Amino acid sequence: MSDWVRVCATAELLPGESTVVWDGDTPILVVNLEGEFHALEDRCSHEDFELSAGIVDGDQIECTLHGARFDLRSGEALCAPAYTPVRKFPVKVEDDVVYTRDDR
Ligand code: FES
């Protein structure tokens, strides 16, 4: 299991904002949803496209390539053409710093 990866200070990721960090070869999309941080693999489950290029809409993100939508809290696929969830990763906040990691 890999170590935690520093994302940013909590003050650098405000509600509604998102950023991408890498844990090894894994791109991780981290979003602040009303003060709660969530991390998902930055890879659409439809065709391996960067989800971070998409549009955050409330607690969902829409992939720009073909319009699949995912729940940012769970990674669940909400509409076609994606049917499988996006991998969700753990997040922790320690001393006002956000961390995540690929825990596979
Ligand atoms: S690659 Fe995301 S919807 Fe097709």
Side-chain angles (χ1 to χ4, degrees):
M1 197 180 277
S2 63
D3 290 334
W4 291 95
V5 173
R6 184 185 191 280
V7 179
C8 62
T10 51
E12 292 172 315
L13 193 62
L14 299 175
E17 292 185 340
S18 61
T19 189
V20 176
V21 293
W22 290 77
D23 185 354
D25 293 338
T26 307
I28 303 179
L29 169 68
V30 183
V31 295
N32 180 334
L33 290 183
E34 296 166 5
E36 263 177 35
F37 298 96
H38 297 273
L40 297 177
E41 187 164 11
D42 186 18
R43 192 172 281 153
C44 181
S45 66
H46 177 232
E47 271 185 12
D48 258 10
F49 192 71
E50 302 103 54
L51 264 188
S52 54
I55 300 150
V56 174
D57 176 14
D59 59 0
Q60 301 179 2
I61 190 162
E62 182 174 320
C63 179
T64 55
L65 209 49
H66 312 105
R69 293 175 79 91
F70 297 90
D71 185 312
L72 284 165
R73 289 189 166 85
S74 65
E76 186 188 349
L78 300 171
C79 74
Y83 298 98
T84 52
V86 169
R87 175 76 191 200
K88 178 150 175 75
F89 296 125
V91 174
K92 74 169 180 179
V93 176
E94 222 171 69
D95 297 331
D96 296 326
V97 176
V98 185
Y99 297 88
T100 187
R101 69 179 178 196
D102 180 348
D103 60 347
R104 286 177 289 195

